[in-house]
Amino acid sequence: MDLDEDRETMGLLGHTHQNGIYKRYVQPFLAELVGTTLFLYVATMSHTISGLSPLAQGFVFVVLVGSLGHISGAHFNPAVTLAALLCGAIRIIPAVTYVGAQVTGAVLGAALCRGSMKNTSYISIGGGALRVYTNESYTNESVSHQQQFVVDSGNAVVVEMMLTTLLILCILMTAIDTKGKTLVAPLTIGFAIGAGAFAGSSTTGGAMNPVRAFGPAVAFTTFDDTVWDNHWIYWVGPFSGSILAAIIYRLFLAHDDRRLLFKKIN
């Protein structure tokens, strides 16, 4: 997850001078694009299996982090990139390119899902899109089919914020922190995604990732434009959780090189 440190280490070995721009910017961009595309494809396609989508999302994230993490840090999520930026694990220009890759990959992954099944089947799973059903927009009858509760928009923001905080803290402590980095980081991150998706399944769907909601919404909008109702929640909630997790990490939980408080206290 800590891109700059990996690149600096490679530079000491003399490897970044060869194809430096490609390795520093292009290759990580492509890794984020490919990884996000594959993640969204699995996440949307797994909606055909009732109740098991969180497992599929957790499993595929383990695979993607393990296989692409050494190239880009395996963010695949603008909320993760924001936290990494706030914690000094990535610089602003790569961060912007990462978000561009993630948004593009999310749309591609959702579009591939649409192209993988007949329209009737695609519509039956709602395009794999996530929604928040609020009192202002939906009746209880319309929600029962989706196995989701009617919630206030404020409740939904809190759900996404708290689940994203869990995910981001897991990433910061196991994949970015100087002392906390561990070889089992892909597993812990995958478990965090699966747990969050399960926990949020009856309210928001447990996105924890703005582009997880954005890509399927773009692909499904030609069939049902109400998919954009309350879509802002999937940006405000995860970004709020990302900022909260970064604050907790930088103030209290980070190793000395990144912690802002109590550096001299043993």
Side-chain angles (χ1 to χ4, degrees), residues 125-144:
I125 64 167
L130 301 179
R131 301 181 189 230
V132 173
Y133 297 93
T134 64
N135 291 314
E136 294 79 12
S137 303
Y138 295 92
T139 65
N140 285 316
E141 288 75 19
S142 67
V143 178
S144 62

PDB file of all heavy atoms in Angstrom, residues 125-144:
ATOM      1  N   ILE A 125     -31.007  -8.298 -11.371  1.00  0.00           N
ATOM      2  CA  ILE A 125     -30.069  -8.062 -10.270  1.00  0.00           C
ATOM      3  C   ILE A 125     -29.812  -6.573 -10.069  1.00  0.00           C
ATOM      4  O   ILE A 125     -28.914  -6.188  -9.313  1.00  0.00           O
ATOM      5  CB  ILE A 125     -28.743  -8.797 -10.492  1.00  0.00           C
ATOM      6  CG1 ILE A 125     -28.006  -8.256 -11.728  1.00  0.00           C
ATOM      7  CG2 ILE A 125     -28.958 -10.297 -10.604  1.00  0.00           C
ATOM      8  CD1 ILE A 125     -26.558  -8.721 -11.833  1.00  0.00           C
ATOM      9  N   GLY A 126     -30.580  -5.749 -10.767  1.00  0.00           N
ATOM     10  CA  GLY A 126     -30.412  -4.313 -10.612  1.00  0.00           C
ATOM     11  C   GLY A 126     -29.063  -3.819 -11.065  1.00  0.00           C
ATOM     12  O   GLY A 126     -28.572  -2.785 -10.589  1.00  0.00           O
ATOM     13  N   GLY A 127     -28.456  -4.551 -11.986  1.00  0.00           N
ATOM     14  CA  GLY A 127     -27.144  -4.156 -12.484  1.00  0.00           C
ATOM     15  C   GLY A 127     -26.044  -4.251 -11.448  1.00  0.00           C
ATOM     16  O   GLY A 127     -24.944  -3.734 -11.661  1.00  0.00           O
ATOM     17  N   GLY A 128     -26.342  -4.916 -10.330  1.00  0.00           N
ATOM     18  CA  GLY A 128     -25.344  -4.981  -9.262  1.00  0.00           C
ATOM     19  C   GLY A 128     -25.146  -3.654  -8.567  1.00  0.00           C
ATOM     20  O   GLY A 128     -24.185  -3.475  -7.810  1.00  0.00           O
ATOM     21  N   ALA A 129     -26.056  -2.711  -8.824  1.00  0.00           N
ATOM     22  CA  ALA A 129     -25.922  -1.367  -8.249  1.00  0.00           C
ATOM     23  C   ALA A 129     -26.349  -1.355  -6.786  1.00  0.00           C
ATOM     24  O   ALA A 129     -27.175  -2.160  -6.352  1.00  0.00           O
ATOM     25  CB  ALA A 129     -26.762  -0.369  -9.046  1.00  0.00           C
ATOM     26  N   LEU A 130     -25.781  -0.427  -6.034  1.00  0.00           N
ATOM     27  CA  LEU A 130     -26.136  -0.229  -4.635  1.00  0.00           C
ATOM     28  C   LEU A 130     -27.083   0.959  -4.513  1.00  0.00           C
ATOM     29  O   LEU A 130     -26.940   1.947  -5.223  1.00  0.00           O
ATOM     30  CB  LEU A 130     -24.887   0.012  -3.786  1.00  0.00           C
ATOM     31  CG  LEU A 130     -23.841  -1.099  -3.797  1.00  0.00           C
ATOM     32  CD1 LEU A 130     -22.655  -0.704  -2.925  1.00  0.00           C
ATOM     33  CD2 LEU A 130     -24.433  -2.409  -3.313  1.00  0.00           C
ATOM     34  N   ARG A 131     -28.033   0.856  -3.594  1.00  0.00           N
ATOM     35  CA  ARG A 131     -28.985   1.942  -3.380  1.00  0.00           C
ATOM     36  C   ARG A 131     -29.222   2.125  -1.893  1.00  0.00           C
ATOM     37  O   ARG A 131     -29.053   1.197  -1.106  1.00  0.00           O
ATOM     38  CB  ARG A 131     -30.328   1.637  -4.044  1.00  0.00           C
ATOM     39  CG  ARG A 131     -30.278   1.419  -5.543  1.00  0.00           C
ATOM     40  CD  ARG A 131     -31.685   1.159  -6.046  1.00  0.00           C
ATOM     41  NE  ARG A 131     -31.721   0.740  -7.426  1.00  0.00           N
ATOM     42  CZ  ARG A 131     -32.508   1.282  -8.346  1.00  0.00           C
ATOM     43  NH1 ARG A 131     -33.305   2.279  -8.020  1.00  0.00           N
ATOM     44  NH2 ARG A 131     -32.511   0.838  -9.572  1.00  0.00           N
ATOM     45  N   VAL A 132     -29.646   3.330  -1.563  1.00  0.00           N
ATOM     46  CA  VAL A 132     -30.131   3.626  -0.219  1.00  0.00           C
ATOM     47  C   VAL A 132     -31.600   3.987  -0.354  1.00  0.00           C
ATOM     48  O   VAL A 132     -31.963   4.899  -1.092  1.00  0.00           O
ATOM     49  CB  VAL A 132     -29.360   4.788   0.429  1.00  0.00           C
ATOM     50  CG1 VAL A 132     -30.007   5.175   1.766  1.00  0.00           C
ATOM     51  CG2 VAL A 132     -27.897   4.412   0.644  1.00  0.00           C
ATOM     52  N   TYR A 133     -32.440   3.246   0.328  1.00  0.00           N
ATOM     53  CA  TYR A 133     -33.875   3.468   0.271  1.00  0.00           C
ATOM     54  C   TYR A 133     -34.295   4.338   1.454  1.00  0.00           C
ATOM     55  O   TYR A 133     -34.206   3.922   2.609  1.00  0.00           O
ATOM     56  CB  TYR A 133     -34.622   2.134   0.307  1.00  0.00           C
ATOM     57  CG  TYR A 133     -34.314   1.257  -0.883  1.00  0.00           C
ATOM     58  CD1 TYR A 133     -33.301   0.298  -0.821  1.00  0.00           C
ATOM     59  CD2 TYR A 133     -35.023   1.407  -2.071  1.00  0.00           C
ATOM     60  CE1 TYR A 133     -33.015  -0.500  -1.921  1.00  0.00           C
ATOM     61  CE2 TYR A 133     -34.736   0.612  -3.169  1.00  0.00           C
ATOM     62  CZ  TYR A 133     -33.732  -0.336  -3.092  1.00  0.00           C
ATOM     63  OH  TYR A 133     -33.443  -1.120  -4.174  1.00  0.00           O
ATOM     64  N   THR A 134     -34.727   5.546   1.158  1.00  0.00           N
ATOM     65  CA  THR A 134     -35.128   6.482   2.205  1.00  0.00           C
ATOM     66  C   THR A 134     -36.633   6.689   2.194  1.00  0.00           C
ATOM     67  O   THR A 134     -37.313   6.408   1.206  1.00  0.00           O
ATOM     68  CB  THR A 134     -34.450   7.849   2.021  1.00  0.00           C
ATOM     69  OG1 THR A 134     -34.889   8.434   0.791  1.00  0.00           O
ATOM     70  CG2 THR A 134     -32.936   7.701   2.001  1.00  0.00           C
ATOM     71  N   ASN A 135     -37.136   7.193   3.282  1.00  0.00           N
ATOM     72  CA  ASN A 135     -38.568   7.460   3.396  1.00  0.00           C
ATOM     73  C   ASN A 135     -39.057   8.436   2.339  1.00  0.00           C
ATOM     74  O   ASN A 135     -40.208   8.399   1.918  1.00  0.00           O
ATOM     75  CB  ASN A 135     -38.883   8.020   4.788  1.00  0.00           C
ATOM     76  CG  ASN A 135     -38.704   6.976   5.873  1.00  0.00           C
ATOM     77  OD1 ASN A 135     -39.154   5.850   5.721  1.00  0.00           O
ATOM     78  ND2 ASN A 135     -38.034   7.338   6.952  1.00  0.00           N
ATOM     79  N   GLU A 136     -38.158   9.327   1.908  1.00  0.00           N
ATOM     80  CA  GLU A 136     -38.553  10.347   0.948  1.00  0.00           C
ATOM     81  C   GLU A 136     -38.755   9.779  -0.452  1.00  0.00           C
ATOM     82  O   GLU A 136     -39.478  10.352  -1.258  1.00  0.00           O
ATOM     83  CB  GLU A 136     -37.499  11.459   0.881  1.00  0.00           C
ATOM     84  CG  GLU A 136     -37.361  12.277   2.151  1.00  0.00           C
ATOM     85  CD  GLU A 136     -36.540  11.577   3.212  1.00  0.00           C
ATOM     86  OE1 GLU A 136     -35.888  10.554   2.895  1.00  0.00           O
ATOM     87  OE2 GLU A 136     -36.563  12.047   4.379  1.00  0.00           O
ATOM     88  N   SER A 137     -38.107   8.663  -0.750  1.00  0.00           N
ATOM     89  CA  SER A 137     -38.090   8.170  -2.124  1.00  0.00           C
ATOM     90  C   SER A 137     -38.809   6.848  -2.345  1.00  0.00           C
ATOM     91  O   SER A 137     -39.267   6.570  -3.439  1.00  0.00           O
ATOM     92  CB  SER A 137     -36.635   8.006  -2.595  1.00  0.00           C
ATOM     93  OG  SER A 137     -35.935   9.222  -2.473  1.00  0.00           O
ATOM     94  N   TYR A 138     -38.890   6.025  -1.304  1.00  0.00           N
ATOM     95  CA  TYR A 138     -39.381   4.673  -1.523  1.00  0.00           C
ATOM     96  C   TYR A 138     -40.372   4.256  -0.449  1.00  0.00           C
ATOM     97  O   TYR A 138     -40.333   4.732   0.678  1.00  0.00           O
ATOM     98  CB  TYR A 138     -38.220   3.663  -1.542  1.00  0.00           C
ATOM     99  CG  TYR A 138     -37.283   3.876  -2.691  1.00  0.00           C
ATOM    100  CD1 TYR A 138     -36.169   4.691  -2.553  1.00  0.00           C
ATOM    101  CD2 TYR A 138     -37.530   3.298  -3.935  1.00  0.00           C
ATOM    102  CE1 TYR A 138     -35.307   4.914  -3.612  1.00  0.00           C
ATOM    103  CE2 TYR A 138     -36.676   3.513  -4.999  1.00  0.00           C
ATOM    104  CZ  TYR A 138     -35.578   4.309  -4.823  1.00  0.00           C
ATOM    105  OH  TYR A 138     -34.733   4.530  -5.868  1.00  0.00           O
ATOM    106  N   THR A 139     -41.226   3.319  -0.791  1.00  0.00           N
ATOM    107  CA  THR A 139     -42.149   2.736   0.177  1.00  0.00           C
ATOM    108  C   THR A 139     -41.559   1.454   0.722  1.00  0.00           C
ATOM    109  O   THR A 139     -40.630   0.886   0.148  1.00  0.00           O
ATOM    110  CB  THR A 139     -43.499   2.414  -0.487  1.00  0.00           C
ATOM    111  OG1 THR A 139     -43.294   1.396  -1.481  1.00  0.00           O
ATOM    112  CG2 THR A 139     -44.099   3.647  -1.148  1.00  0.00           C
ATOM    113  N   ASN A 140     -42.093   0.970   1.825  1.00  0.00           N
ATOM    114  CA  ASN A 140     -41.612  -0.291   2.390  1.00  0.00           C
ATOM    115  C   ASN A 140     -41.779  -1.444   1.419  1.00  0.00           C
ATOM    116  O   ASN A 140     -40.976  -2.357   1.370  1.00  0.00           O
ATOM    117  CB  ASN A 140     -42.355  -0.601   3.690  1.00  0.00           C
ATOM    118  CG  ASN A 140     -41.871   0.261   4.839  1.00  0.00           C
ATOM    119  OD1 ASN A 140     -40.674   0.437   5.008  1.00  0.00           O
ATOM    120  ND2 ASN A 140     -42.790   0.809   5.607  1.00  0.00           N
ATOM    121  N   GLU A 141     -42.857  -1.408   0.627  1.00  0.00           N
ATOM    122  CA  GLU A 141     -43.106  -2.495  -0.316  1.00  0.00           C
ATOM    123  C   GLU A 141     -42.000  -2.575  -1.359  1.00  0.00           C
ATOM    124  O   GLU A 141     -41.587  -3.653  -1.766  1.00  0.00           O
ATOM    125  CB  GLU A 141     -44.452  -2.288  -1.002  1.00  0.00           C
ATOM    126  CG  GLU A 141     -45.660  -2.534  -0.105  1.00  0.00           C
ATOM    127  CD  GLU A 141     -45.886  -1.387   0.884  1.00  0.00           C
ATOM    128  OE1 GLU A 141     -45.361  -0.287   0.631  1.00  0.00           O
ATOM    129  OE2 GLU A 141     -46.569  -1.610   1.901  1.00  0.00           O
ATOM    130  N   SER A 142     -41.509  -1.416  -1.812  1.00  0.00           N
ATOM    131  CA  SER A 142     -40.486  -1.429  -2.853  1.00  0.00           C
ATOM    132  C   SER A 142     -39.157  -1.916  -2.309  1.00  0.00           C
ATOM    133  O   SER A 142     -38.315  -2.399  -3.042  1.00  0.00           O
ATOM    134  CB  SER A 142     -40.311  -0.032  -3.453  1.00  0.00           C
ATOM    135  OG  SER A 142     -39.765   0.858  -2.513  1.00  0.00           O
ATOM    136  N   VAL A 143     -38.953  -1.785  -1.004  1.00  0.00           N
ATOM    137  CA  VAL A 143     -37.689  -2.191  -0.415  1.00  0.00           C
ATOM    138  C   VAL A 143     -37.666  -3.677  -0.084  1.00  0.00           C
ATOM    139  O   VAL A 143     -36.621  -4.305  -0.108  1.00  0.00           O
ATOM    140  CB  VAL A 143     -37.415  -1.362   0.869  1.00  0.00           C
ATOM    141  CG1 VAL A 143     -36.122  -1.814   1.521  1.00  0.00           C
ATOM    142  CG2 VAL A 143     -37.343   0.108   0.519  1.00  0.00           C
ATOM    143  N   SER A 144     -38.818  -4.262   0.206  1.00  0.00           N
ATOM    144  CA  SER A 144     -38.848  -5.654   0.654  1.00  0.00           C
ATOM    145  C   SER A 144     -38.215  -6.596  -0.353  1.00  0.00           C
ATOM    146  O   SER A 144     -37.573  -7.570   0.017  1.00  0.00           O
ATOM    147  CB  SER A 144     -40.297  -6.074   0.925  1.00  0.00           C
ATOM    148  OG  SER A 144     -41.069  -5.989  -0.265  1.00  0.00           O
TER     149      SER A 144
END
